[in-house]
Amino acid sequence: MPNASIAINAGPLPLGGGLLALLRPALDALEVGGVLALLSSNAAARDDLPTWCKVEKHEYLGCEKVADADRHLIARGGFNLPRGEREHGLRLPLRDGKLMAADVLATIPHAATADPATGLAPRGARVEPGGPEYPFTLNERDRVAPPDVAQLYDQAVAAQWNAQTDIAWAKIKPLPRALETAVGQLMTFLAENELSALYLPSKFIARIHPAYVEVGMFLSTQLMDESRHIDVFLKRARANGGGLGVSSATTSASLHSLLMLEDFTEAAFLLSVLGEGTFLDLLRFIEDHAPDEPTADLVRRARADETRHVHFGMSHVRHALATDPSLYGRLENAVRKRAATLHNAGGVPAAVQDSLTVLAARGTGPAGIARGHDKFAELLHVMHENRVKRLITAGFTPEQSQTLSDLHTPNFM
Ligand SMILES: [Fe+2]
Ligand SMILES: [Fe+2]
């Protein structure tokens, strides 16, 4: 009889009464061909074990009497052997009592390509062969997962806020009608754009291979953020009598061209780098000219969330550009195509432009309106300048950045 590398004692347990719960994990810990010794005082096991081994494709090597028990020897077979190494001794570090997703990613890094046949198995699990191929289409790390995505997810989890209780709604006081109407119009425009940022990432989540689950998890935090933004902007529109304003055909055409995107990198670029990037400046403008502190606060909070979404987009694009030299041409094409569809749509919707002017004027006095008008013109300039800076940071040349920013000009989002 060969030597066993593991021994277990099953006492009187019958095969159908718990013995397998000891035997199967013990065999699982062995290499193929490794030998297990099983001590058993159950007489029926003498017949049951060889039969079970035959069905499970393990090799039953025989049995010898030891004191008042049987010592069965079994060599581990390779049937249905899960692929990969079992995780041994993996212990995530505590950081101020917290466990971080970034530490999981650091421990089990993203593979360059993912196997569609591993299905929904969490990364790190050993996968039995024989499962079906899943229809994921985002199976390449460099087209899906920027290196800092898990850190962004951890930050997003820590930064969630509550639109019911974190805004001092009771502090909103009556405003002149024209100003409140302008606030209502701006909140309508913001909410409509937020809806595009809810819908566009959501259509990619189910295409992402679970090997890059942190990307889906991060995008889910974005969906929660955008939901909260829609909620908080619609609440502000209706909190003080302003009510909703107009949804313009220009905005609709602009957002439609975003929603039609089918490439994840193009979507991350157009939505998060150009659109949400430009939105940072719009939100800053509304915050700076907000008529009351709760309005400034809710816009400031939304901007903090948007900064994270922009960071994800920039990181995604920078990483993809560095690994795919043909990407710039594709992205420029996507921006050109979008600009062409908006050729006749005109620039910023009139109602939005007027409302931003009234907001910056703090009312409708002609002197204030003149100032508001100048501030609006300055906003467009600031948006362009910051867009170029962001594009350079995302890995484009200054010339490319200038071209892309000019093409984006008719859109805010
Ligand atoms: Fe948002
Ligand atoms: Fe966003």
Side-chain angles (χ1 to χ4, degrees):
M1 294 283 243
N3 286 328
S5 47
I6 312 185
I8 56 171
N9 187 347
L13 290 172
L15 191 86
L19 184 145
L20 288 178
L22 297 177
L23 175 58
R24 278 190 293 232
L27 282 169
D28 194 39
L30 290 172
E31 304 283 329
V32 174
V35 177
L36 168 88
L38 170 72
L39 279 179
S40 167
S41 58
N42 183 294
R46 286 177 209 154
D47 292 329
D48 293 345
L49 276 172
T51 309
W52 181 82
C53 284
K54 204 166 179 183
V55 172
E56 296 294 321
K57 311 277 197 295
H58 297 298
E59 192 183 352
Y60 184 77
L61 301 172
C63 160
E64 59 191 8
K65 205 80 189 139
V66 187
D68 50 0
D70 296 321
R71 183 167 177 269
H72 303 272
L73 289 175
I74 300 169
R76 196 232 162 114
F79 179 61
N80 252 7
L81 192 66
R83 280 170 289 173
E85 297 264 306
R86 200 192 184 294
E87 286 179 5
H88 276 296
L90 175 61
R91 207 166 258 130
L92 291 174
L94 277 170
R95 303 196 186 275
D96 289 336
K98 294 184 281 244
L99 293 184
M100 311 305 282
D103 283 318
V104 177
L105 181 58
T107 313
I108 316 165
H110 291 143
T113 55
D115 177 359
T118 60
L120 292 168
R123 183 172 79 249
R126 292 179 309 150
V127 181
E128 271 183 9
E133 294 234 334
Y134 278 54
F136 305 121
T137 51
L138 293 169
N139 299 323
E140 289 168 62
R141 178 190 57 208
D142 295 340
R143 298 194 51 199
V144 188
D148 48 357
V149 62
Q151 275 152 324
L152 285 172
Y153 170 77
D154 283 329
Q155 285 168 17
V157 168
Q160 296 297 302
W161 51 281
N162 184 328
Q164 290 173 353
T165 55
D166 286 339
I167 306 297
W169 294 110
K171 287 193 182 158
I172 297 180
K173 297 287 179 277
L175 292 174
R177 184 162 175 181
L179 189 52
E180 189 58 47
T181 303
V183 170
Q185 174 61 60
L186 291 174
M187 294 298 145
T188 307
F189 178 72
L190 292 179
E192 186 168 2
N193 281 273
E194 294 291 347
L195 273 152
S196 75
L198 176 70
Y199 276 69
L200 186 59
S202 71
K203 81 178 198 186
F204 292 102
I205 291 177
R207 303 181 191 178
I208 297 170
H209 193 291
Y212 315 115
V213 67
E214 290 86 356
V215 183
M217 287 159 65
F218 173 77
L219 292 178
S220 302
T221 69
Q222 180 178 355
L223 299 190
M224 190 59 226
D225 293 343
E226 309 302 13
S227 302
R228 190 170 52 246
H229 301 167
I230 293 162
D231 183 18
V232 87
F233 292 148
L234 293 179
K235 280 177 176 154
R236 178 59 192 89
R238 290 164 171 147
N240 205 25
L244 296 196
V246 173
S247 158
S248 75
T250 306
T251 302
S252 183
S254 165
L255 299 182
H256 180 266
S257 65
L258 267 184
L259 277 201
M260 290 299 105
L261 294 170
E262 289 299 330
D263 179 88
F264 185 44
T265 304
E266 286 176 20
F269 175 61
L270 281 162
L271 175 73
S272 297
V273 179
L274 290 176
E276 291 174 307
T278 303
F279 241 61
L280 291 179
D281 293 314
L282 176 63
L283 293 172
R284 165 72 74 156
F285 184 92
I286 297 174
E287 179 188 329
D288 286 348
H289 300 292
D292 48 53
E293 180 44 34
T295 306
D297 184 34
L298 64 89
V299 174
R300 189 183 306 121
R301 287 170 180 273
R303 190 163 56 78
D305 294 335
E306 292 308 332
T307 305
R308 215 161 43 237
H309 308 164
V310 173
H311 188 123
F312 172 79
M314 303 234 311
S315 188
H316 179 135
V317 168
R318 190 168 47 235
H319 185 62
L321 272 177
T323 53
D324 177 4
S326 74
L327 181 61
Y328 174 75
R330 292 212 316 274
L331 293 181
E332 191 190 311
N333 269 346
V335 182
R336 275 192 192 285
K337 212 168 127 193
R338 188 162 179 230
T341 63
L342 295 174
H343 185 62
N344 295 321
V348 181
V352 175
Q353 183 171 340
D354 296 344
S355 298
L356 288 169
T357 304
V358 170
L359 188 79
R362 305 213 165 227
T364 49
I369 291 291
R371 266 199 320 275
H373 183 78
D374 291 346
K375 293 217 156 123
F376 174 74
E378 195 185 307
L379 169 65
L380 296 183
H381 181 69
V382 168
M383 282 173 164
H384 172 68
E385 300 254 289
N386 285 341
R387 215 155 43 217
V388 169
K389 279 189 210 152
R390 252 176 244 118
L391 288 164
I392 291 172
T393 311
F396 298 98
T397 66
E399 296 71 33
Q400 290 170 338
S401 302
Q402 197 71 34
T403 305
L404 294 171
S405 179
D406 284 340
L407 286 166
H408 184 75
T409 293
N411 307 288
F412 276 178
M413 187 61 94

